[in-house]
């Protein structure tokens, strides 16, 4: 069965620092990949997604993620974080042709001003 | 914009009570999902539905059932609530049209079972 690992459970950064959150999945077939974000008190929102094509995907609010098939990875990056990026970030994987999303356990990011 | 709404933001119930959580989406999506979200465990799929009156078990269906009598509405039922069902419950929906399989989430219902 598909599984998703997010290695960092808690990350604390100062404003303007660079961010990279790791995500690895287990299944080696064709997958769709997602990053969702949950800001404090808000519902889960899509940050970016990869279905096919260019493995470097750009999302909202300056986030990007790179799909590296050989490493089964889909790491999230942002060159300079802001206090408003404080949130919980979830990586999720869907095996193509199936509607089930498998989520990682999430990473809580705290950005100090 | 896709809108997924859930009937309650907060619920407090007693052990043994029957609990209904309602979810409605307004985008004519075929697929609907119920997850529970727990700290350190992420989101886990309870049940999902591909169509009206269709349901499939997710990863943790024990203690839950669902109902989908209309396309826009998907209900989660706790037949006899237990304290270990205290959690945040999230509903989501997605479309089969094209290849856009993005799931859209509701605001969540935080359930406390005493």
């Amino acid at each position: 069965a598909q599984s998703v690992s997010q290695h960092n459970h808690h990350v604390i950064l100062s404003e303007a620092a660079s961010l990279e959150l790791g995500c690895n999945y287990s299944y080696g077939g064709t997958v769709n990949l997602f990053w969702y974000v949950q800001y404090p008190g808000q519902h889960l929102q899509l940050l970016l997604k990869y279905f096919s094509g260019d493995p470097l995907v750009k999302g909202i609010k300056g986030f990007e993620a790179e799909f590296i098939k050989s490493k089964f990875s889909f790491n999230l990056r942002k060159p300079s974080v802001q206090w408003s990026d404080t949130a919980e970030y979830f990586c999720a994987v869907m095996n193509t042709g199936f509607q089930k999303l498998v989520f990682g356990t999430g990473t809580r990011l705290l950005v100090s001003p | 914009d896709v809108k997924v709404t859930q009937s309650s933001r907060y619920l407090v119930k007693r052990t043994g009570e029957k609990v209904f959580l309602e979810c409605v989406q307004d985008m004519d999506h075929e697929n609907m999902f119920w997850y529970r979200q727990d700290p350190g465990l992420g989101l886990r799929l309870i049940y999902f539905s591909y169509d009206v009156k269709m349901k499939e078990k997710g990863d943790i269906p024990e203690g839950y059932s669902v109902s989908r009598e209309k396309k826009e509405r998907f209900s989660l039922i706790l037949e006899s609530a237990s304290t270990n069902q205290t959690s945040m419950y999230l509903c989501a929906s997605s479309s089969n049209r094209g290849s856009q399989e993005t799931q859209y989430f509701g605001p969540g219902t935080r359930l406390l079972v005493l």
Side-chain angles (χ1 to χ4, degrees):
Chain A
Q2 180 67 269
S3 65
V4 179
S5 297
Q6 291 184 243
H7 313 296
N8 313 102
H9 299 293
H10 295 89
V11 173
I12 302 174
L13 295 173
S14 300
E15 275 194 315
S18 64
L19 170 72
E20 181 159 4
L21 301 182
C23 173
N24 288 90
Y25 62 95
S26 61
Y27 177 64
T30 306
V31 293
N32 298 328
L33 299 155
F34 306 79
W35 276 98
Y36 282 86
V37 60
Q38 190 172 36
Y39 298 103
Q42 296 188 27
H43 65 275
L44 212 59
Q45 304 171 40
L46 182 68
L47 201 53
L48 50 77
K49 61 187 176 185
Y50 171 83
F51 284 1
S52 63
D54 189 343
L56 185 61
V57 179
K58 295 194 184 297
I60 60 171
K61 304 189 180 186
F63 286 91
E64 65 178 31
E66 185 176 13
F67 170 49
I68 303 179
K69 190 173 182 180
S70 60
K71 295 185 177 180
F72 301 98
S73 70
F74 190 55
N75 292 355
L76 181 71
R77 299 196 291 248
K78 186 171 183 179
S80 176
V81 294
Q82 301 173 311
W83 175 79
S84 58
D85 293 325
T86 292
E88 190 161 16
Y89 294 80
F90 293 94
C91 180
V93 178
M94 179 188 294
N95 295 345
T96 304
F98 296 87
Q99 287 290 338
K100 284 178 59 174
L101 267 179
V102 178
F103 282 85
T105 53
T107 297
R108 286 189 185 269
L109 171 66
L110 175 62
V111 180
S112 57
Chain B
D1 276 354
V2 175
K3 194 168 183 183
V4 180
T5 57
Q6 296 182 228
S7 51
S8 305
R9 292 301 300 270
Y10 301 95
L11 271 181
V12 180
K13 297 292 181 181
R14 295 210 175 271
T15 301
E17 280 193 76
K18 191 169 186 176
V19 182
F20 292 88
L21 303 181
E22 303 284 334
C23 175
V24 177
Q25 50 93 5
D26 67 356
M27 282 302 292
D28 199 36
H29 282 174
E30 295 82 8
N31 311 307
M32 295 188 75
F33 307 83
W34 276 106
Y35 296 88
R36 62 179 282 176
Q37 181 182 6
D38 300 288
L41 296 177
L43 278 75
R44 293 177 293 166
L45 183 64
I46 304 172
Y47 266 97
F48 59 105
S49 170
Y50 288 144
D51 201 352
V52 175
K53 298 193 185 293
M54 302 294 288
K55 60 184 180 183
E56 297 279 345
K57 291 180 180 179
D59 299 318
I60 51 163
E62 296 79 18
Y64 304 94
S65 62
V66 291
S67 172
R68 189 152 181 217
E69 296 296 320
K70 293 185 178 181
K71 190 175 185 179
E72 68 271 17
R73 189 179 297 270
F74 192 34
S75 302
L76 180 69
I77 303 153
L78 287 65
E79 294 289 343
S80 178
S82 63
T83 55
N84 63 13
Q85 292 179 310
T86 291
S87 186
M88 170 72 92
Y89 290 89
L90 298 179
C91 176
S93 71
S94 69
S95 172
N96 289 334
R97 290 183 282 276
S99 62
Q100 299 301 307
E101 296 156 324
T102 303
Q103 290 187 17
Y104 297 89
F105 285 81
T109 296
R110 193 170 289 281
L111 172 66
L112 173 62
V113 182
L114 299 174

